[in-house]
Amino acid sequence: MTLYAAYAESDKLEETDGNVFVTKLDQNTDFTIGIQAAESMSAAQVREGILFEAVSEGTHSQTELLVEGSNGSFQVSGSGGFQEGSTYQLTLEDENLSFAGEPENAYI
């Protein structure tokens, strides 16, 4: 048997300047995430620009995000803390938001 490769045109992949995500492992339940935002944004507007998901099985999907701060500097935490042993994903959906102290292109 002889096999020959058949090449076909493919869709272009979008290139990025590195990883678009930041990972934090083994954090305490009172872990906070620093968010930089436009100075004119309120805590409610920052919260609206964040998609928060419980990723791991058994994770309490009832965990609410608490956003505090002002003047472009905010802290995000779990209201009452995050559930121990759980995995969460926080995606910045507003282009005016970025993770404090992390690469600018990271949004997950």
Side-chain angles (χ1 to χ4, degrees), residues 11-71:
D11 294 335
K12 283 191 161 193
L13 296 175
E14 184 178 326
E15 294 182 29
T16 62
D17 292 335
N19 292 333
V20 296
F21 60 90
V22 176
T23 302
K24 302 291 183 182
L25 301 172
D26 299 325
Q27 300 299 310
N28 293 326
T29 58
D30 61 351
F31 176 68
T32 62
I33 302 160
I35 302 287
Q36 295 297 117
E39 286 194 25
S40 62
M41 292 181 78
S42 67
Q45 289 171 315
V46 170
R47 176 60 187 100
E48 287 176 19
I50 297 172
L51 174 63
F52 176 66
E53 302 172 279
V55 177
S56 59
E57 214 173 293
T59 297
H60 225 351
S61 61
Q62 299 302 318
T63 301
E64 295 282 331
L65 276 191
L66 178 62
V67 179
E68 298 176 306
S70 62
N71 297 324

Side-chain angles (χ1 to χ4, degrees), residues 54-99:
V55 177
S56 59
E57 214 173 293
T59 297
H60 225 351
S61 61
Q62 299 302 318
T63 301
E64 295 282 331
L65 276 191
L66 178 62
V67 179
E68 298 176 306
S70 62
N71 297 324
S73 182
F74 296 88
Q75 293 294 318
V76 177
S77 61
S79 180
F82 294 106
Q83 186 177 346
E84 188 174 340
S86 297
T87 302
Y88 301 93
Q89 181 172 306
L90 191 142
T91 304
L92 304 177
E93 296 186 314
D94 186 319
E95 61 186 35
N96 292 311
L97 303 177
S98 63
F99 292 113

